[in-house]
Amino acid sequence: HQDEDKLTEYMDELEFLAFTAGATVQKRFTQKLTQPDSKTFIGSGKAQEIKEYVKENEIGTVIFDDELSPSQLKNLEREMEVKILDRTNLILDIFAQRAQTSYARTQVELAQYQYLLPRLTRMWTHLERQKGGIGMRGPGETEIETDRRIIRDRISLLKDKLKTIDRQMATQRNNRGKVVRAALVGYTNVGKSTLMNALSKSEVFAENKLFATLDTTVRKVVIGNLPFLLTDTVGFIRKLPTQLVESFKSTLDEVREADLLIHVADISHESFEDQVESVNQTLMEINAHQKPMIMIFNKIDDFSYDKKDEDDLTPSTKKNISLEEWKKTWMGKSKYPTVFISALTKENFPEMKKMIYDEVMKIHISRFPYND
Ligand code: GDP
């Protein structure tokens, strides 16, 4: 990583992911390299340093922020004699814990097997695997060849199963008829579920962890007598494992087939601009970037306070500027209707509802031009 601030943010996010998976982080290690070592990702001096720390402090797992190649993973485990997880493995584990519907579970299982297949010769199979824990589900070393075949069979079975459910879900979407469909999009943890709850008065699971939402939820929302469907989609995250991008196709279909995107950003997060960028990137990848969109900047209640110190009221954003000043930047000038709210305190809700109403109405009218 080039930039110091970025590095801290990335490590914060990784720590948050680890926390979501149920781990406690003891120490961070960073290293500046022009490019990762092809054999061990980090340099051998750093690997030695981590190994010693792990031994001394009886650390159970070392987590890397990038996806490691199968051989890097193997070499590192051999060298450091500890269980290694990479970012992909960690995210897959969280998804596995949180998948609720059979569809989501099937998707995660498929993604896990796809991740596992090239990594079957891993070392930690003989290291304390009985203890279980994050990323410890998988076959043992001796049965590897048989396991490979079984896993390939399993993968094609899961793919068939997903195809069937995909077709069913497509039919369900078609049956929803001509009611306008809006989809909440936004980086994970920005407040999409909270907003969904506030708008639909239903109880969607919201908590301060990454990926509280895994399965798509659809709710009927009525604003000023105008009903529409609101979908809460899976949290977008930087470097979403490719296995998941592929297998969460159907979740993204909800976005692809929505009439209106409601893009939520967490303005209290120091790297929210990057998060917005990363969501836009994904929207582009699935060809959904030309849809009508509303930008909602959420958590204005939490905006200017330094979260590390409750008494310190100095602005904590990296640019140290106020909300009013923010509004004069690209955010206020966006080509999309833009609103600043707090889903928690419901500040500016009337303005937001009006904005959503107007956009939904535009689509509604284009669909039923002769009504009224
Ligand atoms: P999602 O992952 O985008 O669905 O985010 P959630 O709705 O699960 O919210 C993530 C966390 O942010 C939860 O702890 C929420 O209580 C919190 N949150 C959501 N909206 C606001 C807000 O307007 N202000 C503040 N301070 N916190 C919020």
Side-chain angles (χ1 to χ4, degrees):
H1 294 300
Q2 304 287 316
D3 183 78
E4 285 293 326
D5 288 349
K6 277 268 150 56
L7 181 62
T8 312
E9 281 168 29
Y10 289 171
M11 291 303 260
D12 283 348
E13 185 177 272
L14 188 68
E15 185 164 338
F16 198 15
L17 278 169
F19 162 75
T20 303
T24 325
V25 174
Q26 295 282 335
K27 191 170 167 65
R28 297 176 176 191
F29 291 90
T30 55
Q31 182 173 40
K32 277 203 176 114
L33 287 176
T34 35
Q35 64 187 58
D37 188 288
S38 62
K39 290 201 186 69
T40 49
F41 191 73
I42 49 174
S44 58
K46 185 58 73 174
Q48 196 56 35
E49 187 189 334
I50 299 175
K51 179 180 177 173
E52 278 161 24
Y53 182 85
V54 161
K55 274 243 158 61
E56 261 165 42
N57 298 280
E58 301 181 352
I59 301 296
T61 310
V62 175
I63 304 176
F64 284 76
D65 190 41
D66 280 278
E67 181 168 324
L68 299 170
S69 73
S71 67
Q72 284 172 336
L73 205 61
K74 202 164 108 187
N75 294 336
L76 279 169
E77 263 170 0
R78 188 178 297 147
E79 204 166 313
M80 307 208 289
E81 296 167 0
V82 66
K83 184 173 98 188
I84 310 267
L85 289 184
D86 62 10
R87 185 183 172 88
T88 303
N89 203 187
L90 185 63
I91 292 178
L92 285 175
D93 203 86
I94 296 171
F95 274 81
Q97 279 177 32
R98 303 192 151 225
Q100 279 169 16
T101 61
S102 97
Y103 186 64
R105 277 197 297 269
T106 311
Q107 287 176 319
V108 174
E109 200 184 337
L110 175 62
Q112 281 183 312
Y113 278 129
Q114 283 169 336
Y115 174 83
L116 188 66
L117 195 57
R119 293 175 175 77
L120 269 189
T121 52
R122 292 184 57 178
M123 291 288 294
W124 50 259
T125 45
H126 67 260
L127 292 172
E128 305 185 73
R129 68 167 301 107
Q130 353 22 328
K131 277 194 188 169
I134 303 166
M136 287 304 273
R137 278 151 283 194
E141 190 89 48
T142 48
E143 312 95 17
I144 280 175
E145 263 321 307
T146 342
D147 288 344
R148 277 221 178 93
R149 208 183 55 236
I150 294 172
I151 287 180
R152 279 197 201 98
D153 289 349
R154 187 82 193 135
I155 285 178
S156 63
L157 201 91
L158 289 169
K159 280 185 174 164
D160 286 346
K161 195 170 161 191
L162 282 178
K163 262 187 214 143
T164 313
I165 314 181
D166 268 339
R167 275 196 296 273
Q168 287 165 357
M169 287 170 86
T171 317
Q172 274 171 20
R173 278 197 299 271
N174 284 336
N175 291 345
R176 282 185 213 150
K178 291 214 157 187
V179 181
V180 174
R181 272 150 43 189
L184 284 166
V185 296
Y187 208 75
T188 179
N189 217 48
V190 295
K192 296 184 296 297
S193 309
T194 311
L195 189 59
M196 174 90 152
N197 285 337
L199 284 171
S200 66
K201 300 188 182 72
S202 64
E203 275 309 307
V204 179
F205 185 52
E207 64 170 342
N208 194 18
K209 284 189 174 176
L210 297 180
F211 307 118
T213 322
L214 263 190
D215 299 300
T216 313
T217 342
V218 186
R219 292 274 184 282
K220 187 177 158 192
V221 176
V222 182
I223 299 179
N225 283 335
L226 182 63
F228 62 95
L229 294 175
L230 185 62
T231 314
D232 187 2
T233 48
V234 64
F236 290 67
I237 190 161
R238 193 175 59 86
K239 291 200 253 171
L240 185 73
T242 45
Q243 298 90 341
L244 282 180
V245 175
E246 181 55 35
S247 65
F248 274 80
K249 179 185 160 295
S250 215
T251 312
L252 295 176
D253 274 348
E254 290 285 348
V255 176
R256 216 180 274 126
E257 292 177 15
D259 304 301
L260 170 68
L261 302 181
I262 302 180
H263 186 165
V264 187
D266 171 1
I267 201 175
S268 75
H269 196 286
E270 51 182 350
S271 50
F272 79 91
E273 287 172 290
D274 290 342
Q275 297 185 341
V276 167
E277 206 29 59
S278 127
V279 172
N280 283 336
Q281 189 60 40
T282 309
L283 291 177
M284 208 117 100
E285 280 161 24
I286 63 167
N287 219 356
H289 59 295
Q290 279 164 348
K291 289 181 187 295
M293 185 154 88
I294 295 177
M295 272 309 304
I296 295 185
F297 293 103
N298 188 32
K299 306 200 191 180
I300 54 170
D301 60 292
D302 202 18
F303 174 66
S304 56
Y305 305 98
D306 191 336
K307 278 182 267 34
K308 289 179 196 84
D309 179 2
E310 291 295 326
D311 298 325
D312 181 1
L313 302 185
T314 50
S316 67
T317 57
K318 54 185 171 188
K319 283 169 194 150
N320 239 19
I321 58 176
S322 72
L323 183 56
E324 285 315 307
E325 283 170 293
W326 268 122
K327 288 181 185 174
K328 290 179 203 144
T329 66
W330 63 272
M331 299 196 284
K333 292 182 201 144
S334 157
K335 64 176 172 173
Y336 303 110
T338 301
V339 65
F340 296 79
I341 64 151
S342 163
L344 218 57
T345 66
K346 307 205 169 171
E347 201 177 331
N348 288 343
F349 260 41
E351 191 188 337
M352 173 191 70
K353 283 185 172 172
K354 173 86 173 56
M355 204 168 265
I356 297 176
Y357 178 90
D358 287 347
E359 290 306 305
V360 173
M361 192 48 122
K362 268 188 218 160
I363 299 162
H364 186 78
I365 288 172
S366 71
R367 210 164 267 182
F368 302 103
Y370 306 115
N371 274 7
D372 296 337

